[in-house]
Amino acid sequence: MIEVRCARESDIGWICCVEEQVFSLPWTYDQLSNFISGVQNIMLVAEVDGSPAGYMGMETVLDEGYVTNVCTAPEFRRRGVAASLIDAMKDIASELGLSFMTLEVRVSNTAARSLYAKKGFSDVGIRPGYYEKPREDAVIMTLYSK
């Protein structure tokens, strides 16, 4: 069973470990700590049978939501963790009255792009050379509220 909750300071060490496993430019402990403590920021953690399995962050600015990261630990992939996080964040965005949520995703990350599309996000643009290590364009995907 997947449960989604707000991240706590005690989650930062685990999130850092997953960041280092998954991303070429992982967030640091201090960056994550500052993000979690930010008033305009939301960080969720998904647990599978009580074990942390994934996380998702979003920064809010006025009535806009900017997704900072969506990540599932490698050992929990293909189990609906990211989908559960996105659904929970969509609920929060609705409660906050956000007009949209937007994110960037690597052009080559077809699995994530497909999931985001299934969750209602649409391609709205390209950010050339947005990612490093390796250098790659990002697709901007946005979900507008109804």
Side-chain angles (χ1 to χ4, degrees):
M1 176 156 166
I2 300 171
E3 293 187 27
V4 178
R5 61 170 173 78
C6 289
R8 302 182 281 256
E9 277 291 319
S10 60
D11 294 314
I12 297 173
W14 175 82
I15 294 171
C16 279
C17 288
V18 176
E19 283 273 319
E20 290 172 6
Q21 289 176 17
V22 174
F23 296 115
S24 60
L25 293 171
W27 285 32
T28 66
Y29 188 96
D30 288 342
Q31 287 171 318
L32 286 163
S33 181
N34 288 335
F35 185 86
I36 286 175
S37 64
V39 176
Q40 303 294 110
N41 303 331
I42 302 156
M43 179 72 80
L44 301 176
V45 170
E47 294 181 341
V48 174
D49 299 324
S51 296
Y55 55 95
M56 180 175 183
M58 183 172 68
E59 180 180 12
T60 62
V61 179
L62 301 173
D63 68 337
E64 304 168 353
Y66 296 90
V67 175
T68 57
N69 41 22
V70 180
C71 183
T72 301
E75 64 271 26
F76 290 99
R77 290 195 177 144
R78 315 278 317 153
R79 294 196 205 174
V81 172
S84 295
L85 286 162
I86 293 166
D87 288 343
M89 195 65 84
K90 284 171 60 175
D91 289 344
I92 291 170
S94 178
E95 290 170 15
L96 294 174
L98 300 185
S99 59
F100 67 82
M101 291 172 46
T102 192
L103 56 82
E104 292 88 10
V105 59
R106 284 184 182 272
V107 169
S108 64
N109 193 344
T110 55
R113 290 175 60 193
S114 175
L115 174 62
Y116 300 144
K118 285 178 188 171
K119 293 297 179 180
F121 286 79
S122 300
D123 293 3
V124 297
I126 297 286
R127 293 198 196 283
Y130 181 79
Y131 289 103
E132 298 178 23
K133 295 184 178 182
R135 175 75 60 194
E136 187 173 357
D137 295 349
V139 177
I140 304 164
M141 298 185 76
T142 302
L143 170 67
Y144 294 96
S145 63
K146 298 181 176 155

